[in-house]
Amino acid sequence: MKKKKIITILLSVTASLAVIALAVVEFTPIGDFLTMKSNSKNSAIVQNTVDLNGDGVLSSDEIEVLSTSLLSLDKDGDGELSPKESHNGPYDEYYDVRENYAFNFIDIDGDIYITAEEIENASSNILEYDIDKDGMLSNEEFIAPAVAPPGDANFFENLSMLERELEISRRNYDEAEGDKLPGEDDRAYEGYTFYYGAYDAKRIQVENGAYLLDMEGNVVHEWTTDKYVPQGASAYLMENGLLYRTVSDLNWRELEENFAIGSNGVLEIVDWDSNILWSFEYDAFDEYVLHHDFEVLSNGNILAIVYDVVTPEEAVDLGIDIELAPEELYFTERIIEIKPNLEDGSSEIIWEWDTRDHFVQDINSELSNYGNPSEERT
């Protein structure tokens, strides 16, 4: 099956492009971004090593000897693979490597070092991504798609302009006064700091717990979960001590291949001791998924945002011009209001607002939503 790219129709395209541009400028230098494609051969060293016959499929026989194949890259004989051995690069040169599925399957902790334990357990670890459970990894399961920078030169010109603007804006901030550890700055507000972990852009589960820190930076309380916490996950600690959070029952591969960025799919309410009092799963492949943030209302209900999968045929019916990407999936947005019942664990969607009901397009005059998108409508 051909891997589908994902195109998301957001409520504010301009804002979304700004966020994407900011993310690229802030975390990926322009020069590095332009040269990522050239690093693809290095990132595929592990992939090509374990795929003994080079057919893009990891057979059951190849999986059985996975550890032996990996050790063929161990040039210094220490029983593990350094970044130089695994992808011919230093530790910090790992953006493109993390885009390679095969590397991620084996380097399960995402530290770019393939340890002796990871080599020993490589066969069992990699079978976790055997989606159809046939004892092998098909081409679609095994090989990451090529990651190429956008071909539009204006994209990079705009990024360079944005980078300059960001540099100018940074100069308006007060100069830092040196390192200050927690508790050393008398300007800090009295209270606690709450934060929630997640995985980062390289698919590394940096942290999946929620923490409460005191003024000295000490952890005074922790909420745990054994579920996946993807990028864009949110959590809120309420005055009554209950924790509201988003998690996922899916792994990073299932999320990335089936949904747009920031998808999670599960809302939970947990008590002080991390006991789950209520859970609401709202994800279905090829249909919908919860994503990013949510809002707890004063009446106890929860507003959540949802990606809805839109096929090319459905997109045409909505008046969307799909000429540039005729075979891809599209996503629209929906807001739902959920009424949780903590007594019996049930949930009820009592209201929703769907962007598809409010589309105005000027492409196809034969459709009922034809008009001028710039005009205000009720």
Side-chain angles (χ1 to χ4, degrees), residues 63-184:
I63 292 176
E64 186 177 350
V65 297
L66 204 58
S67 297
T68 302
S69 299
L70 288 170
L71 286 173
S72 69
L73 295 173
D74 179 23
K75 304 304 182 185
D76 59 9
D78 64 353
E80 62 180 24
L81 301 184
S82 67
K84 181 66 176 177
E85 292 169 324
S86 67
H87 60 277
N88 198 32
Y91 172 82
D92 58 356
E93 206 170 85
Y94 65 97
Y95 184 95
D96 203 43
V97 176
R98 297 308 299 177
E99 291 293 342
N100 184 278
Y101 288 172
F103 194 99
N104 286 341
F105 297 162
I106 296 166
D107 178 32
I108 57 173
D109 61 2
D111 66 354
I112 317 303
Y113 282 86
I114 300 180
T115 65
E117 183 179 0
E118 287 171 333
I119 292 175
E120 181 182 355
N121 298 325
S123 296
S124 57
N125 288 338
I126 209 165
L127 281 173
E128 292 182 13
Y129 301 93
D130 176 19
I131 306 302
D132 56 11
K133 304 304 179 186
D134 62 353
M136 57 181 286
L137 296 189
S138 65
N139 180 279
E140 189 67 17
E141 292 169 327
F142 175 53
I143 295 184
V147 178
D152 185 359
N154 291 330
F155 178 83
F156 297 105
E157 291 176 8
N158 293 336
L159 283 183
S160 298
M161 183 182 301
L162 179 59
E163 191 172 37
R164 288 194 296 271
E165 292 297 322
L166 286 173
E167 181 59 34
I168 292 172
S169 68
R170 290 191 187 102
R171 298 171 191 165
N172 296 326
Y173 291 111
D174 294 335
E175 290 294 327
E177 299 178 1
D179 296 336
K180 287 186 179 295
L181 297 174
E184 291 183 353

Side-chain angles (χ1 to χ4, degrees), residues 4 20 25 36-37 56-57 77 90 111 208 211 279 286 298 303 305 316 345 369:
K4 298 182 176 66
I20 293 171
V25 170
M36 280 192 295
K37 179 63 176 176
V57 174
D111 66 354
N208 65 351
Y211 299 88
S279 181
D286 299 326
S298 58
L303 287 180
I305 47 180
V316 170
N369 62 352

Side-chain angles (χ1 to χ4, degrees), residues 125-363:
N125 288 338
I126 209 165
L127 281 173
E128 292 182 13
Y129 301 93
D130 176 19
I131 306 302
D132 56 11
K133 304 304 179 186
D134 62 353
M136 57 181 286
L137 296 189
S138 65
N139 180 279
E140 189 67 17
E141 292 169 327
F142 175 53
I143 295 184
V147 178
D152 185 359
N154 291 330
F155 178 83
F156 297 105
E157 291 176 8
N158 293 336
L159 283 183
S160 298
M161 183 182 301
L162 179 59
E163 191 172 37
R164 288 194 296 271
E165 292 297 322
L166 286 173
E167 181 59 34
I168 292 172
S169 68
R170 290 191 187 102
R171 298 171 191 165
N172 296 326
Y173 291 111
D174 294 335
E175 290 294 327
E177 299 178 1
D179 296 336
K180 287 186 179 295
L181 297 174
E184 291 183 353
D185 196 332
D186 56 11
R187 296 173 299 177
Y189 290 107
E190 289 288 338
Y192 294 92
T193 298
F194 171 79
Y195 75 91
Y196 188 36
Y199 91 106
D200 72 2
K202 312 304 181 292
R203 307 182 183 96
I204 304 170
Q205 186 74 79
V206 177
E207 186 54 70
N208 65 351
Y211 299 88
L212 199 61
L213 307 182
D214 64 15
M215 293 293 291
E216 304 298 324
N218 302 308
V219 176
V220 297
H221 195 72
E222 175 185 358
W223 292 263
T224 60
T225 178
D226 57 1
K227 295 184 178 179
Y228 189 48
V229 181
Q231 279 185 308
S234 301
Y236 296 96
L237 179 59
M238 312 307 290
E239 291 185 0
N240 60 6
L242 295 181
L243 177 71
Y244 290 64
R245 68 188 179 195
T246 54
V247 294
S248 181
D249 284 330
L250 306 173
N251 62 43
W252 65 265
R253 179 100 192 255
E254 293 170 319
L255 286 171
E256 289 188 13
E257 290 203 342
N258 292 279
F259 300 114
I261 190 170
S263 300
N264 45 70
V266 179
L267 262 168
E268 291 181 341
I269 301 176
V270 301
D271 66 15
W272 191 256
D273 298 317
S274 300
N275 298 308
I276 300 173
L277 305 179
W278 173 83
S279 181
F280 174 72
E281 182 176 2
Y282 199 69
D283 55 32
F285 293 145
D286 299 326
E287 295 185 49
Y288 53 79
V289 66
L290 296 173
H291 71 92
H292 287 95
D293 206 1
F294 60 92
E295 178 74 20
V296 181
L297 304 178
S298 58
N299 63 1
N301 292 349
I302 303 171
L303 287 180
I305 47 180
V306 179
Y307 286 134
D308 284 306
V309 179
V310 177
T311 65
E313 294 75 19
E314 292 169 331
V316 170
D317 291 339
L318 289 169
I320 298 170
D321 184 2
I322 66 168
E323 183 177 349
L324 295 177
E327 299 179 0
E328 314 305 352
L329 288 182
Y330 292 75
F331 281 76
T332 57
E333 298 270 20
R334 185 159 39 104
I335 301 173
I336 59 175
E337 182 177 352
I338 311 156
K339 183 178 181 180
N341 187 325
L342 271 63
E343 294 184 1
D344 60 12
S346 64
S347 310
E348 179 184 2
I349 298 176
I350 63 173
W351 174 84
E352 67 177 50
W353 185 90
D354 195 327
T355 54
R356 289 170 292 189
D357 298 331
H358 303 273
F359 274 3
V360 178
Q361 51 83 27
D362 56 4
I363 297 174

Side-chain angles (χ1 to χ4, degrees), residues 42-61:
N42 286 337
S43 71
I45 287 176
V46 166
Q47 172 184 304
N48 294 335
T49 298
V50 298
D51 181 15
L52 299 177
N53 60 6
D55 63 352
V57 174
L58 207 60
S59 67
S60 58
D61 290 339

